[in-house]
Amino acid sequence: MLNDIYNKRIIELAGNIPRLGRLPAPDASATAHSKLCGSTVKVDLKMEGPVVTDFAHDVKACALGQASSSIMARHVVGSTASELRELREAVRKMLKENGSPPQGKWADIALLEPVRDYKARHASTMLTFDAVVDAIGQIEAKAKEPVSAQG
């Protein structure tokens, strides 16, 4: 039932999203959009090597997109690129393949587990994870670019 996915804790997370806004000089920005529901999440990321050092986001999403963004914002700083890629894959598997929810600092994602029964809600739930991984990829690609010769 839809009440399972819009439970009290999801509504609390959606109503208390940390790190809202934009960073003044991010290393990368990425936007993820769900055509199905119109939800959009824009993230700004700063990294030192593989570690996220700052994060902000603009969340125009349903309660599920807001809740997943809220969870991301609470734990993303200090996380590594590989951890965040694994997280996105774990959430995708949780929703689409009956996988187990992540553990440890990401354990709150288990609150989103009932969403697996509502395929139309998967995209909005995944927005923040997709945008963060996109931004990480941009930062890594820039780091691999050769420094242009200055003369």
Side-chain angles (χ1 to χ4, degrees):
M1 202 151 101
L2 221 50
N3 289 347
D4 293 339
I5 61 173
Y6 294 109
N7 62 52
K8 183 179 182 218
R9 187 71 180 117
I10 292 289
I11 301 305
E12 286 173 1
L13 285 166
N16 295 292
I17 305 172
R19 298 182 170 273
L20 285 173
R22 305 299 303 266
L23 294 180
D27 294 329
S29 298
T31 301
H33 176 74
S34 168
K35 291 179 183 155
L36 192 62
C37 68
S39 292
T40 301
V41 174
K42 296 177 184 174
V43 303
D44 292 335
L45 214 55
K46 287 186 83 64
M47 296 181 77
E48 275 184 32
V51 179
V52 174
T53 57
D54 204 359
F55 172 87
H57 54 173
D58 182 24
V59 182
K60 305 278 189 263
C62 66
L64 296 171
Q66 291 173 9
S68 58
S69 293
S70 182
I71 295 167
M72 176 65 76
R74 291 168 203 277
H75 304 293
V76 67
V77 173
S79 297
T80 64
S82 59
E83 175 187 352
L84 292 164
R85 283 192 175 96
E86 289 168 13
L87 174 67
R88 179 181 68 170
E89 185 61 13
V91 175
R92 187 193 66 74
K93 284 182 175 177
M94 178 185 81
L95 294 177
K96 299 190 179 300
E97 300 172 12
N98 292 327
S100 299
Q103 301 297 309
K105 70 181 180 183
W106 300 105
D108 276 352
I109 290 171
L111 295 165
L112 300 166
E113 204 168 1
V115 176
R116 86 166 40 118
D117 296 330
Y118 302 91
K119 288 187 178 9
R121 304 289 197 273
H122 290 186
S124 60
T125 304
M126 290 297 300
L127 291 175
T128 191
F129 305 103
D130 292 340
V132 165
V133 169
D134 181 0
I136 290 168
Q138 291 177 41
I139 292 167
E140 290 173 343
K142 284 182 203 168
K144 289 178 183 167
E145 289 176 7
V147 177
S148 59
Q150 296 185 8

